Amino acid sequence: MLLTAVYYDGRQARPHPVTLCVEGDKLLLQGREIVRRENLASLKIPPPLGSTPRLILFADGGRCEVADRQGFAEMLQDAGSSAVAGMENSWWYALAALLLTLSLLVALYLFALQHLTLHIMWMR
């Protein structure tokens, strides 16, 4: 499977159109002036963030942006995905976290209020 992407070498701000494919445990990146073969294990692939392009970060400061998120997930079996990334993209988990936080704040307030009241009564 071939994907089109944009590669930045980390030295210049100029984008390089490239194609990506996986050959065994290596990622092959090819463009007009660039050919890179990197071990998949040496690459950093951050989890997906909203609808932004997927990133591949190289050890030398280079990076590659892949706009085809679905193709990227299929090509790498979504190597950058995790349970946390799934929670970050879910409104239900965000709502549950908010409710849990509010519940803890209310419980802390009530406990502190009761403790403070007993402390003031004891000082009299």
Side-chain angles (χ1 to χ4, degrees):
M1 168 183 239
L2 281 178
L3 289 179
T4 59
V6 178
Y7 174 73
Y8 297 92
D9 62 12
R11 295 180 197 101
Q12 300 174 343
R14 191 177 85 200
H16 301 276
V18 294
T19 58
L20 302 173
C21 71
V22 173
E23 296 177 341
D25 65 343
K26 296 194 183 297
L27 177 74
L28 174 62
L29 180 143
Q30 287 182 305
R32 176 180 271 170
E33 305 164 357
I34 300 161
V35 175
R36 288 189 76 154
R37 232 182 216 95
E38 300 283 335
N39 286 327
L40 289 172
S42 69
L43 302 173
K44 290 185 183 175
I45 302 172
L49 182 63
S51 61
T52 61
R54 294 298 307 266
L55 294 177
I56 301 172
L57 305 174
F58 297 89
D60 65 357
R63 76 176 203 190
C64 193
E65 295 181 0
V66 183
D68 181 2
R69 296 166 54 85
Q70 184 66 31
F72 183 84
E74 291 171 8
M75 184 175 80
L76 295 178
Q77 286 83 31
D78 218 10
S81 182
S82 67
V84 173
M87 288 182 199
E88 289 173 343
N89 292 320
S90 170
W91 283 103
W92 291 110
Y93 283 112
L95 183 60
L98 177 65
L99 291 175
L100 178 64
T101 302
L102 290 174
S103 299
L104 288 173
L105 286 173
V106 167
L108 180 65
Y109 173 75
L110 293 176
F111 174 77
L113 187 63
Q114 180 184 14
H115 183 70
L116 186 61
T117 304
L118 289 175
H119 182 70
I120 290 172
M121 287 178 57
W122 219 72
M123 289 183 67
R124 289 184 177 192

